[in-house]
Amino acid sequence: MSLDAPQLEGNVDASGLSVGIVVSRFNESITRELLKGAERALLEHGAASDALTVCWVPGAFEIGTIAQAMAESGRFDAIVCLGCVIRGDTAHFDYVCRGAMDAIGRIASRGDVGVGNGVLTVDNEEQAWERVGGKHGHKGEEAALTAIEVVRQLQRLGLK
Ligand code: INI
């Protein structure tokens, strides 16, 4: 058995990449923190500030519409999706989560762009704060760097 298979390691160099960030206003105190973390991570990893396009949408349910349009435009190498859905008393939470996640998943699986999913789906605000620089890391930063790593892998494979 050969152990010499090529290993394509992750690369999160954002220099020269054009990145679309779609962020929802619902639970804005949290989503602003997600956005700050995503922007910070991209700039720290070499992105130019004028290569970032931030597009606000009303709620997580609307993220897919804009993210898909951005992906299809051919103008972006990566798309970062940021939102925060907090469970309430009704089934609305489930429908919003499913709508957002299905749409983001469809875009991600097309392979045209790198996609980072930074949409929080949590039971309460405390869980959300734990994920924007608290004990569960920063999901805005993670989503941004994930999107970059996927683009770089597509490029290495010669698919983009
Ligand atoms: N949108 C969110 O982003 N987070 C939520 O917690 C949320 N809740 O709880 O309802 C939410 N709802 C709005 C939804 O995303 C759409 O904007 C709305 O249904 C209009 O299409």
Side-chain angles (χ1 to χ4, degrees), residues 2-25:
S2 166
L3 295 175
D4 299 328
Q7 308 276 317
L8 302 181
E9 292 291 339
N11 165 7
V12 288
D13 174 13
S15 57
L17 296 180
S18 171
V19 183
I21 303 176
V22 189
V23 55
S24 51
R25 244 183 348 260

Side-chain angles (χ1 to χ4, degrees), residues 22 62-72 79-81 104 107 113:
V22 189
E62 286 72 42
I63 290 173
T65 308
I66 301 300
Q68 175 157 337
M70 281 180 153
E72 285 177 353
I79 312 282
V80 183
C81 300
I104 294 167
I107 302 160
V113 290

